[in-house]
Each structure stands twice: as structure tokens, then as C-alpha cells.
Amino acid sequence: MKTIQFYAGILLIIWPVLSNTLHTQSLLKSDNFTFHGQIRTGYYFIETKNNAGEFSKTPEWRMRARFGFTYRVNEKFSFTSRLAGRYSTEQDKFAFWYHPYGASSGGLRLGQTAFDMFFIEWSDKNRWMVQLGRMQHGFHLRGILAKGIDRYTSSNVSIQWVDGIWLRYLIHPEWYVHIISQYNHRKGTTSYYSSPINFIEPASRFTFFAAVEGKETSGLWNQRELSITLMPSSFRNNNGENTAYWALTGRLGINLPLDISFMNIMIAGEAGYAPATPAFSQLNLSTDVESKDCAVAWQASLNFQDIFKNHNIGFLYGHTDPGWLIAPSFRNNTNTFEVRHQYRFNRKLSSEIRYRIRNQLIMPIDASIKRKDDDLYVRITYRF
């Protein structure tokens, strides 16, 4: 009965938007309007052994629905808006989120809907691009298992966004430079972060991100990126002083030059270093382990693309130290192993099966054992 109520509620939310979008598409023949969106739904199962040694299981159906449009004023200027919501058979209620901060440190909670894109863009289609407003960013490791350790909004079925300005400049025929300034409300920001990072201090209202990105994805190099994140006055050190959290991250992907006609192999890696992080006592971790003032995070993936026609398989291992607090795809103080199979029916429709194991690295204070999570999902994604 709960599943029936879930899908009935979802239908009531998305049907007016979907029917209006389809109706508008049939009426508007102008090339100035472009309608786009995505529906992703599937079965998710999580089994957890908590720090007390107790087991729990959470089977549920989840869905994320996104409907948007872009209106192009002229060749250089456009406006984009999108409505997005995430839903589950385990949610308590439906709600519309309109606040200038996230509902949680991970973005929207299950059952909530919001505008996750609402921006204007100016682009000369050559060197410059500027976006202003509410945007999405994807500075993550490419491949079948797309994940990020510092700047990746709305992965899987989550919903986050960035309120601010994004400048991109083609500094060289093969290299982009990105500069992003993001606004943060005192009650929280709209992209991912972990406690004790907070935005109470006035100096933390704006965080900054800069990256150098290789433009080409063919040949030997699939990905080449170097980025830096700066979050002023975002946590207190052991002396009680407001301190900036900043991190340096690099991403690299290589297409293996193997002469295999039916398959492409890509290996990829991402690593990050944060030189100043909260003490273990602030992270509620055991003081029996020597605390570090810095943190590292890294991930590596092996991607087999078109191993069979339209079939892709990927393997990934990731590690995040307790003090790495900005990874949208990884829980801090955890190592992660993941295997994923993807099948593409066509350009718009695909399915994925994922199995993941996550192990806690350092026990919290008063914990009996380290936490362990095993989870599986089977999901389908339709894009339009």
C-alpha cells in the first residue's frame, strides 16, 4: 500500500509538469525553446552493521524527476530553469523547498521538490562562458562510475545546486579555466559538506573554486583536471579560531591504447589533499588513534566500455580520511569498493546495477565496532 501511495503521489506531482511540457513542445515550434529533463527510478537495498554491532536493512523504491527548459534570446544569451524532486517509499511527506540553503548537508531530503536550476548564461561559443544564478556543476572523475571528491552536484538520485557565478575561459585551444564563486546562507549551503564545516561566520558567506580542465577527451587523455577549493572561516581549530578549509584536487583519465575492436578500456584516478582539517575530537572520533591535521582522499576506477554491444562494466575503489569533508560521492572516514554494470538501450534510455561495500576507517567515541554498509541498486534512467 505504501508503494502505491508513493507512486500516486509522484504522479500527482510530475503529471501536470510533464503534460504541460509535452503540450508546450507541440505548440512551440521555435528553435529558441529547448525542453529537457530526466526521470531516474529504481530499487535500493541497504544493509548496515552499526557501531554497536546491530544490523538494519532498508529496502525502498526511489525516484528523481527533473523537468526544465532553456530559452535562447540570441546566439549569446539564454535563460534556463528546472524543477527537480526526489522521492521514496520510505519518505514521510511531500514538500516544496524554497529556502536559500539546503534542507540537509547533502541537499534535498526525500520527498522534497525545488528549482535546482535557475540561471542566465552568456557565451560567445568560443572563449567565454558566464553563468549567473542557480546552477549544476560536474567536476568529477569520468567513466562508468562517475564520482567526485570535491565538486559534483546531484549525483545518483540526490539533488544539490550552486547559487553564484561561474566563469569559464578557453585559455588555450586544449585547456579551459573555471572560476566559481558560491553563496552560502548562515544556516547552510546548497552543495555537499560534512560537519563541523558551517557557514555561521560572515566571512564564510562565499566559497571559491577554480580549475584547469583539458578540453580533449579522445586519444590517450580522457581527462586532465586540477582544481582548488577554498571555504573561508568554515570551522574552528583546536584553539577556537575560525579557520579556512581548503583542498587541492587532481583528476586524470587515460584511454588505454589497446587494439581491441569491440571494447574500450579507460583507467582513471582522482586524489585530493586538505592541509588543515578539524581534530578527531571535533569529528567525534576515538582519541586512541593519533589525530592528523590534514586529510587525503582518492579514488581509482577501471572502465570496460562496450565489453558487449552497449554493455559497460566498471570497478572502483575509494578512500576518504576522516577530515575530508567535501566529497559528494563518498562518506568521510570510509573506504569504498564498487562494481557497476550499465546497459544503454539507446541514447535516451539506460539501466544500471550497482553493488557497493563501505567500511569505516576509525571508530567514533564510545563505539564498539567499525560500521559497515553493503548496498545494491537496480535503476533505470530516461532522458529527454
Side-chain angles (χ1 to χ4, degrees), residues 122-190:
W122 182 89
S123 173
D124 64 2
K125 304 301 181 183
N126 185 18
R127 281 185 171 270
W128 285 97
M129 187 278 293
V130 181
Q131 288 185 2
L132 177 64
R134 178 163 293 185
M135 305 160 287
Q136 298 286 314
H137 296 140
F139 294 88
H140 57 274
L141 195 64
R142 296 173 189 157
I144 300 161
L145 305 96
K147 289 181 175 293
I149 62 174
D150 68 347
R151 195 82 182 182
Y152 183 22
T153 53
S154 304
S155 60
N156 198 355
V157 290
S158 65
I159 297 175
Q160 298 114 21
W161 57 84
V162 171
D163 290 334
I165 184 169
W166 175 16
L167 289 82
R168 187 188 70 192
Y169 178 66
L170 186 65
I171 195 173
H172 181 274
E174 294 186 1
W175 292 93
Y176 285 118
V177 171
H178 302 264
I179 299 176
I180 298 169
S181 177
Q182 177 177 355
Y183 169 76
N184 310 297
H185 192 273
R186 61 181 178 82
K187 293 185 178 181
T189 189
T190 53

Side-chain angles (χ1 to χ4, degrees), residues 43-254:
Y43 176 78
Y44 288 69
F45 178 82
I46 303 173
E47 182 180 78
T48 299
K49 183 171 68 172
N50 65 20
N51 292 122
E54 301 169 339
F55 283 89
S56 63
K57 298 180 180 180
T58 307
E60 61 181 311
W61 287 89
R62 291 185 181 181
M63 172 185 281
R64 183 181 69 186
R66 307 193 293 195
F67 303 93
F69 74 91
T70 297
Y71 175 69
R72 187 159 298 282
V73 180
N74 52 46
E75 292 184 355
K76 294 185 177 182
F77 185 79
S78 64
F79 169 74
T80 297
S81 178
R82 188 172 72 184
L83 189 68
R86 59 192 307 253
Y87 317 105
S88 166
T89 52
E90 297 300 309
Q91 71 184 56
D92 295 326
K93 58 183 179 180
F94 293 98
F96 184 82
W97 188 260
Y98 55 88
H99 302 285
Y101 51 89
S104 69
S105 61
L108 290 188
R109 294 190 177 97
L110 293 169
Q112 294 182 330
T113 305
F115 284 100
D116 71 336
M117 293 173 68
F118 200 88
F119 66 87
I120 56 175
E121 176 181 310
W122 182 89
S123 173
D124 64 2
K125 304 301 181 183
N126 185 18
R127 281 185 171 270
W128 285 97
M129 187 278 293
V130 181
Q131 288 185 2
L132 177 64
R134 178 163 293 185
M135 305 160 287
Q136 298 286 314
H137 296 140
F139 294 88
H140 57 274
L141 195 64
R142 296 173 189 157
I144 300 161
L145 305 96
K147 289 181 175 293
I149 62 174
D150 68 347
R151 195 82 182 182
Y152 183 22
T153 53
S154 304
S155 60
N156 198 355
V157 290
S158 65
I159 297 175
Q160 298 114 21
W161 57 84
V162 171
D163 290 334
I165 184 169
W166 175 16
L167 289 82
R168 187 188 70 192
Y169 178 66
L170 186 65
I171 195 173
H172 181 274
E174 294 186 1
W175 292 93
Y176 285 118
V177 171
H178 302 264
I179 299 176
I180 298 169
S181 177
Q182 177 177 355
Y183 169 76
N184 310 297
H185 192 273
R186 61 181 178 82
K187 293 185 178 181
T189 189
T190 53
S191 55
Y192 183 83
Y193 67 98
S194 294
S195 178
I197 285 180
N198 64 79
F199 305 94
I200 298 174
E201 295 297 323
S204 66
R205 288 293 173 268
F206 288 92
T207 55
F208 305 94
F209 176 87
V212 179
E213 175 195 12
K215 182 180 178 183
E216 297 298 325
T217 60
S218 59
L220 177 64
W221 301 108
N222 183 280
Q223 184 175 20
R224 289 174 291 175
E225 292 180 12
L226 183 66
S227 60
I228 185 170
T229 299
L230 175 61
M231 308 172 74
S233 299
S234 54
F235 76 96
R236 292 183 181 272
N237 60 21
N238 288 335
N239 299 323
E241 301 170 335
N242 294 323
T243 305
Y245 188 98
W246 70 276
L248 185 67
T249 308
R251 289 166 285 278
L252 191 68
I254 299 175

Side-chain angles (χ1 to χ4, degrees), residues 141-142 222 252-256 265-269 300-303:
L141 195 64
R142 296 173 189 157
N222 183 280
L252 191 68
I254 299 175
N255 298 309
L256 294 185
I265 301 177
M266 194 264 284
I267 58 174
S301 67
L302 179 61
N303 304 267

